Amino acid sequence: MPITSVLHLRSFVAMITVLSAATAGCAAEPPSQLLVTGFTADAIARYDAASAEGLGSFGPGSGMTGPLCARVGPDGWLYVASEESNSVLRYDRCSGEFHDVFVSAGAGGLAGPAALTWLPGGDLLVASFNSDAVLR
């Protein structure tokens, strides 16, 4: 499971996800990467974990607005809690290419998704900030 922590960068709060060699599995990529959510940039920035070299970003134009959390799921997809679009989006963790809207805006009471995690059986839990709930 990726290691996560919260970090204040410039004028936004970012969630940093560390993709280790075991979770990344991407050809021609550094073995460990940092994925940093950029709330105001509406993007996820990639960095080489060893050198801190920027590897580009992804997200703009895919519906990602106000990302607060990015986590690799048990199925290998990268899930992003997009707070301002009130949805959970799914991306290819290697290319950053948008795959689909995994949880639609407002589904099951979702309002302002802020964090993601999975139960041992694979069910997704989403912290819904604006509805003050944890949704399954």
Side-chain angles (χ1 to χ4, degrees), residues 49-82:
S51 69
E53 176 185 351
L55 302 172
S57 63
F58 62 91
S62 66
M64 183 190 306
T65 53
L68 287 177
C69 179
R71 300 284 306 266
V72 175
D75 57 1
W77 290 101
L78 180 68
Y79 291 77
V80 177
S82 183

Side-chain angles (χ1 to χ4, degrees), residues 109-123:
L110 185 62
L116 308 167
T117 196
W118 284 264
L119 294 174
D123 289 345

